[in-house]
């Protein structure tokens, strides 16, 4: 099985390069992946895979029927959207669209999804159960997974695998992590309403800027004193606005931020915890407080059994020295976690780093990859799928 998969991947390699470069040159922003989706659907159809278009607005689903011996359905999810970044790579297949760039490797992910579909549909022995390929839109705005799930993408799915490229791991390497891979990411808005007055007579006013400072300082300190230090939390206020002039006490401050957490217990407790601290501080000094907490995406928690299957498949395919157990999760976010509410899953990191030159990080205008990683990704996912059906 493994050698058949590797042979097919080598045979498809030039075509996969062509696909990746086409998608890279024609990036589309989140929720506007019309051409990419049509292109993906075309490739899937040409492999005889049945497709459903317009799932979650611009998403595509490919369904590869198994021979029916196993009732389970395995999903393989990749994403398709690009970022509002002006590409500065000088690649010959660089973005042809000003201000839009595949700087997060979703062009590579979509190509790997297609490559995996091409291989699994060509195996001499059909797989026992159904494989569903999810090509998701709008990952960068943490919305596409929800759109897809709402449109039934996860109905009947028993397990889901996903992949994300990772420039700090060298190409031909696979990064595996058990448990938490990425962080939960929520949005917070706090509005403080005090009372305006003369800057020289603060006792006759309620200074909402000073109260905002108290809230920010208290929250940062309270993380270290009231939250479990083994469950990391990052709270960043990225924007704060209030006041009109140097000598007028501000009657209103609005601050917005992002809240990252890895442990489901901390994640659950955060809205109430923040609201308590903010409203009590405001009440102490006579201000009114409004806290709006918006849930973003949960943390990606890799399922141990599915991670084990992926790790074993990767080691068999590439050898121990090419499979790294990642020591730490990331406080970045990934909406792959939304699928995990419906079925267990596992996302792995695919090394795309060049060996002989510096690698730019994800979301950088010069981000680019060692394209040999595409075959590595395709073989890893295809062989992991085969191993999934064997247990
Ligand atoms: Ni990404």
């Amino acid at each position: 099985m493994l050698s058949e998969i590797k042979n097919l991947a080598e045979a498809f390699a030039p075509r996969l390069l062509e696909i990746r470069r086409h998608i890279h040159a024609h990036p589309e922003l989140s929720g506007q992946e019309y051409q990419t989706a049509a292109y993906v659907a075309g490739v899937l159809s040409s492999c005889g895979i049945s497709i459903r278009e317009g799932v979650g607005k611009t998403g595509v689903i490919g369904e590869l029927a198994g021979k029916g011996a196993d009732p389970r359905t395995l999903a393989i999810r990749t994403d398709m959207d690009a970022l509002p970044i002006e590409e500065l790579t000088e690649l010959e297949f660089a973005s042809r669209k000003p201000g839009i760039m595949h700087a997060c490797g979703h062009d590579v992910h979509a190509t790997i999804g297609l490559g995996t579909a091409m291989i699994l549909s060509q195996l001499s022995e059909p797989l026992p159960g159904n494989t569903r390929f999810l090509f998701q839109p709008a990952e960068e705005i943490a919305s596409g997974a929800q759109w897809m799930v709402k449109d039934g993408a996860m109905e009947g799915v028993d397990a889901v695998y996903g992949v994300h490229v990772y420039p700090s791991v060298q190409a031909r390497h696979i990064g595996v992590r058990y448990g938490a891979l990425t962080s939960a990411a929520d949005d917070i808005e706090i509005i403080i309403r005090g009372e305006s007055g003369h800057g020289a007579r603060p006792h006759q006013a309620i200074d909402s800027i000073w109260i905002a400072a108290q809230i920010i300082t208290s929250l940062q300190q309270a993380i270290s004193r009231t939250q479990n230090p083994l469950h990391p939390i990052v709270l960043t206020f990225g924007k704060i606005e209030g006041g009109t002039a140097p000598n007028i006490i501000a009657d209103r401050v609005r601050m917005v931020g992002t809240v990252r957490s890895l442990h489901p217990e901390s994640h659950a407790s955060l809205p109430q915890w923040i609201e308590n601290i903010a409203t009590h501080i405001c009440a102490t000094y006579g201000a009114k407080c409004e806290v709006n907490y918006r849930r973003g995406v949960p943390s990606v928690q890799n399922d141990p059994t599915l991670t084990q299957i992926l790790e074993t498949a990767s080691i068999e395919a590439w050898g121990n020295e090419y499979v790294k157990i990642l020591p730490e999760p990331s406080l970045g976010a990934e909406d792959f976690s939304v699928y995990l509410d419906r079925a267990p899953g596992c996302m792995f990191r695919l090394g795309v780093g060049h060996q002989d030159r510096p690698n730019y990080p994800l979301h950088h205008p010069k981000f680019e990859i060692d394209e040999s990683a595409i075959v590595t990704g395709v073989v890893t996912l295809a062989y992991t799928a085969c191993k999934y059906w064997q247990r």
Side-chain angles (χ1 to χ4, degrees):
M1 188 78 95
L2 179 58
S3 59
E4 188 185 7
I5 289 172
K6 283 190 166 181
N7 291 339
L8 284 168
E10 281 313 322
F12 290 144
R15 173 75 178 125
L16 292 174
L17 221 55
E18 204 177 279
I19 291 172
R20 187 263 160 159
R21 291 177 175 192
H22 176 87
I23 300 175
H24 189 90
H26 303 92
E28 292 172 296
L29 292 175
S30 305
Q32 298 168 34
E33 305 87 343
Y34 300 102
Q35 289 167 9
T36 312
Y39 183 78
V40 162
V43 176
L44 288 172
S45 302
S46 72
C47 318
I49 290 176
S50 62
I51 52 167
R52 223 180 109 196
E53 293 176 83
V55 185
K57 301 188 183 173
T58 41
V60 181
I61 291 182
E63 195 101 28
L64 176 64
K67 63 182 173 193
D70 193 319
R72 295 177 299 169
T73 293
L74 173 67
I76 292 175
R77 175 274 204 175
T78 54
D79 44 15
M80 305 187 291
D81 53 328
L83 286 159
I85 292 176
E86 182 72 36
E87 178 159 354
L88 299 176
T89 63
E90 292 173 9
L91 294 167
E92 63 192 53
F93 53 90
S95 171
R96 294 190 192 156
K97 295 192 182 167
I100 307 180
M101 175 190 179
H102 270 294
C104 197
H106 298 191
D107 53 334
V108 181
H109 304 162
T111 305
I112 289 172
L114 290 172
T116 308
M118 286 156 73
I119 289 177
L120 294 182
S121 63
Q122 299 277 308
L123 291 176
S124 50
E125 173 79 0
L127 295 170
N130 297 326
T131 310
R132 184 176 300 169
F133 299 92
L134 309 178
F135 293 87
Q136 181 203 305
E139 196 285 325
E140 294 293 355
I141 57 169
S143 302
Q146 272 162 8
W147 298 346
M148 295 279 286
V149 168
K150 222 178 251 171
D151 273 1
M154 286 297 279
E155 268 161 37
V157 170
D158 296 281
V160 54
Y161 278 104
V163 56
H164 204 295
V165 299
Y166 210 45
S168 54
V169 173
Q170 265 179 30
R172 297 189 168 81
H173 290 68
I174 301 291
V176 177
R177 184 159 166 88
Y178 287 83
L181 179 74
T182 63
S183 161
D186 300 330
D187 295 330
I188 177 89
E189 176 190 49
I190 300 179
I191 300 169
I192 299 149
R193 289 191 179 85
E195 207 173 310
S196 192
H198 198 295
R201 288 182 281 279
H203 59 293
Q204 294 172 355
I206 299 171
D207 184 351
S208 54
I209 286 183
W210 172 69
I211 294 170
Q214 301 291 316
I215 291 174
I216 294 169
T217 310
S218 292
L219 285 171
Q220 298 301 353
Q221 290 175 348
I223 286 174
S224 94
R225 296 296 87 186
T226 65
Q227 291 284 347
N228 184 341
L230 298 175
H231 300 170
I233 293 170
V234 169
L235 171 56
T236 295
F237 286 103
K239 183 177 175 186
I240 173 163
E241 55 197 18
T244 52
N247 59 350
I248 301 173
I249 286 173
D251 65 341
R252 182 181 182 274
V253 166
R254 174 178 175 267
M255 44 196 194
V256 290
T258 181
V259 192
R260 308 287 168 125
S261 61
L262 282 177
H263 198 280
E265 262 172 42
S266 322
H267 188 226
S269 72
L270 280 165
Q272 196 59 58
W273 180 78
I274 292 175
E275 186 167 342
N276 277 346
I277 292 171
T279 51
H280 280 101
I281 291 172
C282 283
T284 302
Y285 300 114
K288 289 203 169 65
C289 187
E290 182 184 329
V291 178
N292 298 310
Y293 196 97
R294 195 185 69 87
R295 287 281 187 210
V297 296
S299 163
V300 169
Q301 300 280 337
N302 281 336
D303 175 77
T305 309
L306 294 172
T307 310
Q308 174 88 65
I309 296 171
L310 176 92
E311 185 190 1
T312 310
S314 305
I315 291 173
E316 284 178 23
W318 312 114
N320 261 316
E321 63 273 35
Y322 290 95
V323 182
K324 280 175 64 129
I325 296 291
L326 299 169
E328 289 171 351
S330 145
L331 287 170
E334 168 54 75
D335 78 358
F336 181 70
S337 57
V338 170
Y339 300 104
L340 305 183
D341 280 345
R342 305 297 174 116
C346 172
M347 172 172 262
F348 70 98
R349 299 216 186 269
L350 176 68
V352 293
H354 296 282
Q355 203 170 356
D356 54 349
R357 53 190 139 126
N359 290 292
Y360 293 97
L362 296 168
H363 294 208
H364 190 284
K366 290 186 176 174
F367 169 72
E368 45 122 354
I369 66 152
D370 178 335
E371 288 180 310
S372 69
I374 293 171
V375 165
T376 311
V378 164
V379 171
T380 303
L381 263 180
Y383 189 48
T384 298
C386 294
K387 300 285 270 186
Y388 171 78
W389 296 115
Q390 285 168 13
R391 57 170 279 285

